[in-house]
Amino acid sequence: MKFAVIRFPGSNCDQDCVHSLNAIPGASADYVWHKDSSVNGFDAVVLPGGFSYGDYLRCGAIARFSPVMEAVKNFASEGGIVIGICNGFQILCESGLLPGALVRNRGLHFICEHTRVRVERPNSRLTSAAATGQILNIPIAHGEGCYFADDATLAALRLNQQILLRYCDAQGRVTPESNPNGSRENIAGIRNAAGNVFGLMPHPERACDPVLGSTDGLALFESLLAK
Amino acid sequence: MKAHVTIMPKPSVLDPQGAAAAEAMKHLGLESIGRVRIGKVVEIELPNGVDEARLHEVARDLLSNPVIEDYTIAITAGA
């Protein structure tokens, strides 16, 4: 499975994504520059973390208009798999490919730490290799990771089983104390209604190597590789 | 001609920056203030006049995020 990792000016997790994906049997990854107009030849697209356009105006607000995003949107509308990680999640929300928005962390601090997320829905292409209730230890690093959506949107997300990951404690309980950034309903990762576009604030590409303290990110990438 | 686009967080969105600023103001002695909200203003010079409809489009698509923000536009003549 060939992954395109899009590079925007200011993306900085692109190398980790390419490195981690290339190390997974059955997967390969390569860079695509934001000015390219095509993602042909790739089976999936990754929008990596970072500070595209310096987070100017709003995180992801300018990147969503990069030339490559036309190709990414077409790719998504044809059912192609798109994963937005951190800034990538922000870009997907800004571009309307995912519902809701990411705003400033409730505590105003930039948070860089390992966090636990609970797998809510195993029946998605991002979580099929995991079990409901499985706890994944994956790092976050963000200042604007608070997921917001209005009540109607949240109701739809629940109804359509679009909430995939929630921040939780060591026992897998979804609590206010285990919510690092104030996200509504502790939401850490979602999918679109059609089930081919994914967004998550935690960095699975930083949890694929035991030397980094966790390999739980592999569960998410391996789900994508499963048939 | 100039346009000033004022972008404010929607009332339903938590604004921790505004809350932090309010705390700081109270600390400085301004005790009887109410809620504080922080937004942004985008000033656009329009030397050749303006297509207002287009300006609203840009305000909706780029300058603000309608999921979390409301905007208003004020147009003034002169420099």
Side-chain angles (χ1 to χ4, degrees):
Chain A
M1 192 172 189
K2 289 189 63 181
F3 290 79
V5 176
I6 313 290
R7 280 183 145 157
F8 298 95
S11 295
N12 66 10
C13 302
D14 47 323
Q15 291 183 56
D16 286 353
C17 283
V18 167
H19 172 88
S20 291
L21 286 166
N22 272 328
I24 301 175
S28 70
D30 212 345
Y31 301 105
V32 171
W33 182 230
H34 78 114
K35 285 193 175 167
D36 288 353
S37 54
S38 162
V39 290
N40 285 344
F42 291 98
D43 307 303
V45 172
V46 178
L47 303 185
F51 299 87
S52 60
Y53 293 92
D55 281 356
Y56 293 161
L57 192 58
R58 293 179 309 280
C59 300
I62 300 175
R64 70 163 278 212
F65 289 116
S66 273
V68 76
M69 286 306 292
E70 238 356 89
V72 173
K73 279 199 265 191
N74 290 337
F75 183 79
S77 71
E78 286 160 12
I81 292 186
V82 179
I83 311 127
I85 302 169
C86 203
N87 187 221
F89 188 6
Q90 292 160 341
I91 296 169
L92 288 173
C93 287
E94 283 284 338
S95 67
L97 284 169
L98 284 175
L102 284 315
V103 302
R104 189 81 181 269
N105 291 348
R106 177 168 299 197
L108 294 174
H109 289 184
F110 185 99
I111 301 174
C112 183
E113 63 185 23
H114 269 79
T115 192
R116 291 180 189 87
V117 291
R118 182 182 188 277
V119 174
E120 298 288 316
R121 295 289 166 195
N123 60 341
S124 83
R125 291 209 58 178
L126 187 68
T127 51
S128 60
T132 302
Q134 186 171 339
I135 301 168
L136 304 176
N137 182 13
I138 305 182
I140 57 171
H142 58 245
E144 283 81 22
C146 174
Y147 182 76
F148 174 83
D150 60 22
D151 294 343
T153 306
L154 280 180
L157 289 178
R158 281 194 300 266
L159 190 70
N160 296 327
Q161 307 192 351
Q162 291 174 245
I163 301 169
L164 302 181
L165 302 169
R166 279 198 167 96
Y167 300 108
C168 68
D169 65 15
Q171 284 74 45
R173 290 177 304 217
V174 175
T175 62
E177 294 74 31
S178 59
N179 188 333
N181 51 35
S183 293
R184 288 200 78 178
E185 301 199 8
N186 283 38
I187 290 171
I190 61 170
R191 64 171 177 87
N192 66 343
N196 63 311
V197 179
F198 306 91
L200 67 162
M201 285 312 294
H203 288 267
E205 77 282 8
R206 293 187 196 173
C208 290
D209 191 324
V211 75
L212 293 180
S214 169
T215 54
D216 290 354
L218 286 170
L220 300 177
F221 289 134
E222 279 163 2
S223 296
L224 292 169
L225 291 166
K227 286 300 160 205
Chain B
M1 261 189 138
K2 260 186 199 172
H4 286 92
V5 184
T6 301
I7 301 141
M8 292 295 292
K10 282 186 184 313
S12 54
V13 181
L14 185 76
D15 179 20
Q17 273 193 113
E23 274 311 297
M25 283 191 241
K26 286 177 189 162
H27 211 65
L28 287 169
L30 261 161
E31 267 141 28
S32 60
I33 52 166
R35 196 162 79 149
V36 173
R37 313 274 287 165
I38 298 180
K40 57 180 85 133
V41 172
V42 179
E43 184 183 85
I44 308 167
E45 285 180 11
L46 304 158
N48 300 323
V50 63
D51 172 349
E52 280 202 48
R54 194 81 186 87
L55 199 55
H56 277 274
E57 245 182 71
V58 169
R60 256 193 325 269
D61 292 345
L62 174 70
L63 300 178
S64 75
N65 182 338
V67 175
I68 48 172
E69 293 167 330
D70 295 320
Y71 75 88
T72 54
I73 303 183
I75 303 199
T76 55

